[in-house]
């Protein structure tokens, strides 16, 4: 039975509109964005509550956990597995550095999974503690909105609690989806892939985005046979075409079987595993089939339609530039809004929300020059515009600078894998519009480059910067020769 709750024995003090609420802010969703917004809002003096589903490594409509996708079943555990997979190649490379490594080196998947689980449990507790230390009231259960200022929380035991809040923030993230093919229940998503009981010897992956490429690298690095199916000519649609080609070459070089322009048609359970039928009549056997075919916003169970909150066709919550919905008291941040679906972006949105709603500092999230990384082996990282985006937007010419080289480490190990760096520059203003790298430590290097782009750095300023030697990063400040000059699309239209 639903009941009205008094917080600390009394209702919160009156707001500017003369109405008394239990809380100034109630947040539904305890992932990175929701926790950031809660803590920062509390720091501005707001009385804040947050609810999140009970913890579990594999999410469902009724399971989640403080920390959200990134911490529990996304970026963090994925990166742990990437580290684990990288050691396979490192052990091979070590031989030419004088390490007498036995030909047969065993890998214990269960041990790594145990360590991974211990870490996400630790982080889940840290997130809870951060909220408590910030003065935020936490509830474990499913939240739904019942009015412009009303939230209902269904606790684990089924008890329903009702609260009022001046502001409600939706931060429920997104969830992996499965393609509608026969036998789709035999496949798994990234949630299950991070918690498999056994390490697969034969893996089939459907998808061409971050998750598909990363898990292909992980399982191949651990010794599995991996077949990667994707609809386009190359994986990582939306990234710079040249860098996509580099990643494709590296995946093939690491022994991953690529199937461009192909799709899965049906999965069939057999005594020998899962029979995979493709749309061109090919048959494969697999221990695991991973669907990495996109994610959908977690908005279905929030009761938003009844309240009048507008959604787009994909189910994402529609917001303005301040993250406010069409209902003035209801806001939304993170993946549930389907803007740029990255954890640091959700953090930025949460920070801007708290400044706007409680800090007296109206703040719009800035989506320009957002860096990102694909943790393939080796990784790809980019910031700013791709060459294709720069050409499409340019009124003048675009200058492209490239550097392709053998990393110093590989000269001794003998690994045949080039690093590639790229700068995209506006010819007229000399401003660096984009940077990209595929190679060891790319995310660490691009994070620093992102600061330069955010500050509006020019190519001349890059050139005048003294490099750190010997390092891969110094290539970004020593690319002197133009690789190619490309006319901007808007310039071509003007000339026509």
């Amino acid at each position: 039975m639903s009941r009205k709750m008094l917080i600390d024995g009394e209702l919160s003090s009156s707001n500017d509109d003369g109405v008394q609420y239990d809380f100034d802010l109630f947040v539904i969703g305890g992932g990175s964005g929701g926790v950031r917004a809660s803590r920062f809002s509390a720091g501005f003096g707001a009385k804040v509550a947050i609810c999140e589903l009970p913890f579990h490594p594999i999410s469902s409509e009724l399971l989640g956990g403080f920390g959200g996708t990134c911490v529990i079943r996304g970026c963090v555990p994925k990166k742990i597995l990437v580290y684990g997979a990288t050691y396979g190649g490192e052990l091979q490379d070590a031989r030419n550095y004088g390490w007498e490594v036995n030909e047969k080196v065993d890998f214990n998947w269960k041990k790594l999974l145990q360590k991974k689980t211990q870490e996400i449990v630790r982080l889940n507790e840290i997130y809870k503690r951060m909220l408590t230390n910030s003065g935020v009231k936490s509830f474990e259960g499913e939240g739904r909105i019942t009015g412009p200022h009303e939230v209902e929380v269904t606790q684990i035991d089924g008890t329903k609690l009702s609260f009022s809040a001046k502001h409600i923030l939706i931060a429920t993230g997104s969830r992996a989806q499965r393609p509608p093919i026969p036998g789709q229940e035999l496949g798994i998503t990234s949630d299950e892939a991070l918690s498999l009981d056994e390490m697969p010897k034969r893996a089939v992956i459907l998808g061409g985005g971050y998750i598909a490429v990363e898990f292909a690298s992980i399982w191949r690095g651990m010794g599995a046979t991996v077949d990667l199916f994707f609809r386009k000519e190359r994986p990582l649609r939306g990234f710079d075409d040249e860098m996509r080609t580099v990643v494709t070459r590296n995946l093939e070089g690491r022994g991953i079987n690529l199937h461009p322009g192909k799709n899965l048609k049906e999965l069939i359970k057999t005594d020998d595993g899962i029979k995979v039928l493709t749309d061109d009549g090919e048959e494969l056997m697999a221990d695991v089939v991973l669907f990495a075919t996109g994610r959908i916003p977690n908005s279905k169970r929030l009761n938003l339609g009844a309240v009048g909150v507008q959604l787009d066709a994909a189910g994402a919550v529609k917001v303005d530039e301040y993250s406010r919905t069409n209902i003035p008291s209801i806001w939304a941040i993170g993946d549930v809004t389907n803007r740029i679906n990255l954890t640091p972006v959700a953090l930025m949105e949460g920070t801007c929300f708290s400044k706007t709603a409680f800090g007296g500092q109206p703040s719009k999230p800035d989506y320009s020059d957002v860096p990102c990384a694909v943790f393939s082996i080796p990784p790809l990282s980019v910031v700013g515009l791709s060459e294709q985006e720069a050409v499409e937007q340019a009124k003048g010419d675009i200058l492209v600078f490239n550097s392709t080289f053998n990393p110093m480490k590989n000269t001794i190990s003998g690994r045949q894998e080039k690093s590639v760096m790229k700068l995209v520059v506006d010819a007229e203003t000399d401003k660096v519009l984009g940077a990209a790298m595929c190679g060891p430590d790319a995310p660490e290097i691009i994070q620093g480059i992102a600061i330069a782009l955010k500050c509006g750095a020019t190519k001349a300023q890059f050139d005048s910067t003294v490099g750190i030697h010997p390092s891969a990063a110094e290539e970004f400040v020593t690319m002197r020769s133009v690789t190619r000059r490309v006319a901007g699309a808007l310039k071509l239209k003007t000339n026509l």
Side-chain angles (χ1 to χ4, degrees):
M1 179 177 177
S2 179
R3 63 179 187 271
K4 189 78 169 180
M5 293 296 294
L6 299 181
I7 307 308
D8 299 329
E10 60 182 4
L11 289 169
S12 64
S13 58
S14 297
N15 284 270
D16 295 338
D17 54 12
V19 179
Q20 289 185 319
Y21 300 102
D22 296 331
F23 295 101
D24 299 312
L25 171 66
F26 199 105
V27 180
I28 302 178
S32 299
V35 169
R36 168 66 63 88
S38 299
R39 293 174 56 231
F40 279 37
S41 296
F44 284 121
K47 191 171 188 179
V48 183
I50 186 172
C51 72
E52 173 56 55
L53 297 169
F55 171 83
H56 196 279
I58 300 174
S59 69
S60 71
E61 291 182 336
L62 298 175
L63 295 172
F66 283 102
T69 296
C70 178
V71 170
I72 298 172
R73 63 194 71 84
C75 328
V76 171
K78 178 267 309 281
K79 187 76 178 289
I80 290 171
L81 296 194
V82 169
Y83 280 135
T86 302
Y87 279 108
E90 295 285 333
L91 289 169
Q92 294 174 11
D93 294 350
R95 294 188 174 97
N96 281 342
Y97 277 92
W99 291 91
E100 300 298 335
V101 182
N102 293 332
E103 288 299 321
K104 179 173 172 52
V105 178
D106 293 328
F107 171 66
N108 190 327
W109 168 261
K110 289 184 182 294
K111 183 173 184 178
L112 177 58
L113 262 288
Q114 180 187 20
K115 294 290 186 181
K116 180 271 298 182
T117 301
Q118 288 175 355
E119 177 61 8
I120 64 173
V121 169
R122 184 184 75 87
L123 292 172
N124 172 251
E125 292 299 322
I126 286 176
Y127 269 74
K128 292 180 182 178
R129 195 157 57 245
M130 286 195 303
L131 289 165
T132 299
N133 292 342
S134 298
V136 177
K137 179 73 173 176
S138 298
F139 297 92
E140 200 166 62
E142 182 182 17
R144 63 197 294 265
I145 300 174
T146 55
H149 297 279
E150 299 289 332
V151 173
E152 180 183 83
V153 179
T154 303
Q155 299 186 110
I156 300 174
D157 63 0
T159 304
K160 294 182 186 295
L161 309 176
S162 291
F163 304 100
S164 62
K166 183 174 184 180
H167 299 280
I168 298 170
L169 178 65
I170 303 165
T172 48
S174 63
R175 180 177 293 119
Q177 61 179 341
R178 298 165 183 259
I181 62 172
Q184 56 98 358
E185 71 280 359
L186 300 174
I188 63 172
T189 68
S190 55
D191 280 15
E192 295 87 4
L194 290 163
S195 298
L196 290 174
D197 291 333
E198 301 290 338
M199 166 69 197
K201 293 183 172 61
R202 304 164 298 177
V204 169
I205 302 173
L206 176 62
Y210 287 74
I211 294 171
V213 168
E214 289 168 345
F215 273 100
S217 294
I218 289 168
W219 284 331
R220 181 58 193 151
M222 294 172 178
T225 298
V226 178
D227 288 86
L228 178 59
F229 290 79
F230 45 93
R231 292 180 295 175
K232 302 296 181 180
E233 181 183 349
R234 290 163 294 188
L236 300 178
R237 180 172 59 89
F239 283 82
D240 185 279
D241 285 347
E242 191 171 18
M243 304 310 290
R244 294 170 67 196
T245 298
V246 174
V247 172
T248 301
R249 185 168 65 237
N250 288 342
L251 293 173
E252 290 178 317
R254 294 267 175 165
I256 296 167
N257 303 314
L258 303 183
H259 303 266
K262 296 182 181 178
N263 208 338
L264 303 189
K265 183 180 178 181
E266 184 178 1
L267 306 184
I268 301 171
K269 186 175 182 179
T270 73
D271 292 338
D272 186 38
I274 303 170
K275 180 188 288 187
V276 180
L277 306 181
T278 71
D279 58 0
D280 66 344
E282 187 179 0
E283 291 188 9
L284 297 88
M285 293 302 301
D287 302 309
V288 162
V289 177
L290 170 64
F291 296 131
T293 49
R295 300 176 65 84
I296 54 175
N298 278 329
S299 61
K300 187 174 68 173
R301 293 173 63 91
L302 293 172
N303 196 43
L304 299 182
V307 180
V309 175
Q310 293 178 354
L311 306 177
D312 69 13
V317 179
K318 298 172 75 170
V319 294
D320 65 14
E321 54 192 353
Y322 291 98
S323 298
R324 201 170 208 152
T325 73
N326 61 301
I327 305 298
S329 58
I330 301 176
W331 311 64
I333 61 171
D335 286 13
V336 75
T337 65
N338 198 27
R339 287 176 281 183
I340 297 181
N341 297 335
L342 296 170
T343 297
V345 172
L347 294 173
M348 172 180 66
E349 291 169 355
T351 300
C352 289
F353 159 78
S354 60
K355 288 180 177 180
T356 299
F358 300 105
Q361 310 166 51
S363 303
K364 304 174 187 177
D366 180 3
Y367 299 103
S368 63
D369 297 324
V370 172
C372 64
V374 179
F375 289 97
S376 50
I377 302 175
L380 166 69
S381 191
V382 303
V383 63
L385 302 180
S386 68
E387 180 181 344
Q388 292 71 41
E389 290 170 333
V391 169
E392 184 178 326
Q393 298 177 23
K395 296 179 181 178
D397 289 353
I398 295 297
L399 305 180
V400 178
F401 297 81
N402 281 101
S403 179
T404 301
F405 59 95
N406 200 28
M408 186 176 179
K409 185 177 179 181
N410 290 358
T411 61
I412 302 300
S413 70
R415 181 172 293 280
Q416 298 301 306
E417 197 169 67
K418 304 287 188 182
S419 286
V420 179
M421 294 179 173
K422 182 172 185 175
L423 290 175
V424 178
V425 179
D426 185 299
E428 182 178 352
T429 65
D430 198 42
K431 183 178 179 180
V432 179
L433 303 175
M437 176 181 175
C438 186
D441 301 318
E444 311 296 337
I445 293 170
I446 289 293
Q447 179 66 83
I449 299 293
I451 299 173
L453 264 67
K454 202 70 176 173
C455 293
T458 63
K459 182 63 168 61
Q461 290 171 323
F462 271 65
D463 293 344
S464 67
T465 302
V466 176
I468 299 173
H469 183 75
S471 71
E474 68 179 315
E475 288 292 319
F476 272 118
V477 298
T478 59
M479 288 189 273
R480 300 285 192 265
S481 301
V482 176
T483 303
R484 58 183 169 275
R485 187 182 190 105
V486 186
L490 296 180
K491 176 185 177 181
L492 291 174
K493 289 180 181 178
T494 302
N495 290 340
L496 289 175

